[in-house]
Amino acid sequence: MKKELKQKSKHIYWNPYYGGFLLGILILFTFYLTGRGLGASGAMKSSVVSIIESVAPTHAEESNYYSKFITEDESPMKNWLVFETLGVLIGAFISGGLNGRIGWRIQHSPKITSKRRLVFALGGGVLFGLGAQIARGCTSGAALSGMAVLSTGGFITMLAIFASAYATAYFFRKNWI
Amino acid sequence: MGPLIPNGVIPIEWDNIIAILIGIVFGFVLEASGFSSSRKLAGLFYGYDFAVLKVFFTAAVVSLIGVYYMDYLGYLDITQLYVHPLYLWGAIIGGIIMGVGFVAGGFCPGTSLCAVAIGKIDAMVYVAGIMVGIFIFSELYPLFQPIYEGYFYGNVTLEDSLGINPYWFVFIFSMIAIVAFVVSDMVTKKVKKIFY
């Protein structure tokens, strides 16, 4: 009986309006406290910058892009978004733990292999990482936080992301449906 | 008056502690809403699960109304908030590339972190991919520089760009969101159910 209950609760998520409401309040609260919004890809950029800085310091300093994020006395990892991202990992781990969703797995449609899923995940990640740099932010930093203050750039990025995802969904349908 | 940290109401030393706390709530809400599942996220693009649309637009409407209402009541100075800048072609081209990445990989950066936290290996590969993407951009920066730094219109809002009254815009945007929610429920009923 207990096991059955545990099985059942695995895929029960919050009502999306409830989750959305809390997320909206969190964004409001973040702006109220810090004057800025949330972010996610920023921490990954800091990680890349600090890896390159330690592996090839002269290359990082000479690069026009890495050098923007390198300061003399502080590590690029000492950054608001990096701390926030650590929090995201902790928060998601707590939520997943409370609902019995933690475990090593590769999630994919039964119609495709794990290998195919991982190949597409890698390719999708590369594209998202590239796009997030060009647009100076991802769905969190540019679209969601931008929209909260009516940023024109945020709205345009949001529209471009969803328009392009819908336009190309047909070509990736095998992976999902 | 807010924002509290830039105005010195809360000392700057709290900044990083607050960052972690905000992150914890962010991660918890995303994971509890089901955003650690790529198959749930991808439902948006095939019509079998509109959770992303509902969470995303509810959050946008709530935060927009909240920001403008707190500004109206004098608790928050909207002019001090960071407005994501507009680099027109960067926003469009970057967004288009991200959209393909979203539907190919099934995550965006924030949601992939949630999935990493609960042990999804595909999400770890996705995050590695993001870092490779950032690396490619950085190495080929001179190539991307014209769209990254060009077509700059400042840190503009829709009020500046369209000359629209923000209060009316928030109202209309909220109405559009409600219509979208109703339509999405109708679509879900018509589309073949996917169990995941």
Side-chain angles (χ1 to χ4, degrees), chain A residues 33 95 101 136 164 166 169, chain B residues 4-5 31 44 46 96 148 161:
Chain A
L33 286 178
S95 166
R101 285 193 285 262
R136 295 167 182 259
S164 130
Y166 272 106
Chain B
L4 299 181
I5 292 176
E31 209 288 328
L44 171 68
Y46 300 98
I96 289 172
Y148 183 78
S161 310

Side-chain angles (χ1 to χ4, degrees), chain A residues 4-116:
Chain A
E4 213 171 76
L5 249 167
K6 214 177 176 186
Q7 276 298 306
K8 251 187 179 172
S9 69
K10 256 190 180 176
H11 284 290
I12 293 179
Y13 299 114
W14 279 356
N15 178 313
Y17 300 118
Y18 178 64
F21 177 76
L22 288 184
L23 185 56
I25 295 291
L26 177 70
I27 295 167
L28 172 62
F29 190 67
T30 308
F31 270 108
Y32 181 58
L33 286 178
T34 69
R36 306 176 67 108
L38 300 166
S41 58
M44 300 177 195
K45 180 179 72 190
S46 301
S47 309
V48 173
V49 172
S50 65
I51 290 170
I52 301 298
E53 196 193 8
S54 52
V55 175
T58 40
H59 175 64
E61 268 166 45
E62 279 164 14
S63 151
N64 285 331
Y65 194 64
Y66 298 124
S67 59
K68 285 179 199 283
F69 311 105
I70 300 174
T71 46
E72 287 267 309
D73 42 348
E74 278 188 352
S75 152
M77 296 305 276
K78 203 188 167 200
N79 174 302
W80 198 91
L81 287 171
V82 174
F83 288 104
E84 185 234 47
T85 301
L86 287 175
V88 169
L89 292 170
I90 298 168
F93 184 77
I94 296 171
S95 166
L98 292 176
N99 292 291
R101 285 193 285 262
I102 292 178
W104 302 108
R105 65 184 284 224
I106 301 170
Q107 189 188 23
H108 60 84
S109 157
K111 289 177 188 167
I112 61 167
T113 61
S114 294
K115 195 183 158 198
R116 184 184 160 109

Side-chain angles (χ1 to χ4, degrees), chain B:
Chain B
M1 187 153 144
L4 299 181
I5 292 176
N7 287 339
V9 181
I10 295 178
I12 188 77
E13 286 75 20
W14 284 90
D15 207 27
N16 291 334
I17 297 162
I18 286 170
I20 293 184
L21 297 177
I22 285 174
I24 289 174
V25 180
F26 189 28
F28 193 102
V29 171
L30 288 181
E31 209 288 328
S33 302
F35 283 18
S36 56
S37 163
S38 57
R39 297 196 69 200
K40 188 174 179 72
L41 294 167
L44 171 68
F45 306 120
Y46 300 98
Y48 63 82
D49 190 327
F50 281 100
V52 175
L53 176 102
K54 290 172 180 169
V55 172
F56 193 83
F57 278 96
T58 308
V61 166
V62 168
S63 56
L64 257 177
I65 293 174
V67 165
Y68 275 88
Y69 201 57
M70 283 181 77
D71 177 66
Y72 176 75
L73 293 176
Y75 291 119
L76 179 66
D77 181 4
I78 211 166
T79 58
Q80 287 186 36
L81 301 183
Y82 174 76
V83 174
H84 180 74
L86 175 60
Y87 292 83
L88 185 61
W89 284 103
I92 294 172
I93 295 169
I96 289 172
I97 296 173
M98 282 190 270
V100 180
F102 202 161
V103 78
F107 288 117
C108 60
T111 55
S112 68
L113 288 170
C114 295
V116 167
I118 62 163
K120 296 247 169 95
I121 294 161
D122 45 329
M124 294 172 195
V125 172
Y126 186 82
V127 171
I130 292 177
M131 292 175 70
V132 172
I134 295 170
F135 177 72
I136 292 172
F137 175 86
S138 311
E139 293 302 322
L140 300 178
Y141 182 63
L143 190 71
F144 295 109
Q145 200 168 10
I147 49 166
Y148 183 78
E149 289 184 339
Y151 311 99
F152 180 52
Y153 293 85
N155 297 52
V156 288
T157 64
L158 290 176
E159 193 182 355
D160 309 317
S161 310
L162 304 175
I164 194 169
N165 177 321
Y167 299 107
W168 272 110
F169 182 84
V170 173
F171 177 73
I172 294 165
F173 184 73
S174 309
M175 293 299 122
I176 293 172
I178 292 169
V179 171
F181 297 153
V182 174
V183 171
S184 71
D185 281 338
M186 295 190 324
V187 172
T188 318
K189 270 181 200 155
K190 285 196 176 161
V191 170
K192 195 179 71 158
K193 290 248 181 313
I194 301 274
F195 293 98
Y196 53 88

